[in-house]
Amino acid sequence: MNVYFRELSFSTRKRRELVDITNQVEKTVCESGVRNGMCLVYAPHATIAIIVNEHEVGLMSDIMAKIERDFSSSIGWLHDRIDDNADAHIASAFIGSSRIFPIINGKLIRGIWQNIFVLELDGPRSNRRIIVEIMGE
Ligand code: ZN
C-alpha cells in the first residue's frame, strides 16, 4: 500500500465562507499515482468543516443560512468569554472536519453534484490548511 499526502494552503476572506477545493483534491489524487484506495480530506482546525455538495450559488447561500440558523452566535455560549467564536467551534464539531472518498481506477469517486468544500466558520484567516492523504495501490 502506498501513502501520499499534500497540504493545501489558502486564505479566507469572510467570517463564514465556502471554498471549493474539488480541483486541488482531484489533482492530488492524480499526482499520487494511486489507482485504487481512499482519499481523506482533513482540516486540522477547530473552526472549519468539510462538506460535500453542489456548487450552485443559491444552494451555497441556503447552506450558509442553515448554519446561521442552527449555530447562532451571541446566545451566551460559555466559550465566547475566551475568544468569542463558540458558534464556529460548535458548527465544526457537529458538521465534522473530514470526509473520505473512494478512489477507483485512478479517479476520486463523487457524484456530478458533489463538490468538495471547506466551510470557513471563523474567518477571515490567512493561514488555513487542509491535509489530503491518499492511501491505496
Ligand atoms: Zn475559540
Side-chain angles (χ1 to χ4, degrees):
M1 186 181 77
N2 292 313
V3 179
Y4 179 91
F5 81 93
R6 173 175 288 279
E7 192 173 301
L8 310 176
S9 301
F10 58 95
S11 303
T12 54
R13 290 163 298 163
K14 299 180 193 161
R15 174 135 207 272
R16 288 175 171 166
E17 180 179 1
L18 283 166
V19 181
D20 192 327
I21 58 166
T22 311
N23 290 342
Q24 292 103 304
V25 173
E26 290 187 336
K27 188 167 165 247
T28 306
V29 171
C30 278
E31 286 166 4
S32 75
V34 167
R35 300 288 303 159
N36 292 288
M38 287 182 167
C39 174
L40 167 71
V41 179
Y42 176 73
H45 298 287
T47 55
I48 270 186
I50 305 292
I51 67 167
V52 178
N53 221 286
E54 185 176 355
H55 190 137
E56 188 277 313
V57 289
L59 180 65
M60 289 160 74
S61 292
D62 292 340
I63 289 170
M64 299 315 269
K66 166 82 173 157
I67 288 159
E68 187 76 44
R69 205 176 302 153
D70 287 2
F71 303 102
S72 34
S73 55
S74 311
I75 60 168
W77 299 118
L78 299 180
H79 181 73
D80 285 344
R81 295 180 302 195
I82 297 170
D83 60 357
D84 204 27
N85 65 354
D87 61 308
H89 285 272
I90 295 166
S92 173
F94 280 84
I95 298 165
S97 34
S98 67
R99 298 287 156 142
I100 298 174
F101 302 86
I103 299 169
I104 299 175
N105 294 326
K107 284 203 155 186
L108 180 143
I109 303 300
R110 62 183 177 90
I112 192 163
W113 309 122
Q114 285 185 307
N115 280 36
I116 307 164
F117 292 94
V118 171
L119 171 55
E120 171 63 81
L121 295 157
D122 192 31
R125 300 286 187 105
S126 58
N127 55 353
R128 291 304 207 181
R129 60 201 183 99
I130 300 296
I131 306 295
V132 180
E133 184 151 338
I134 293 151
M135 294 147 281
E137 49 193 22

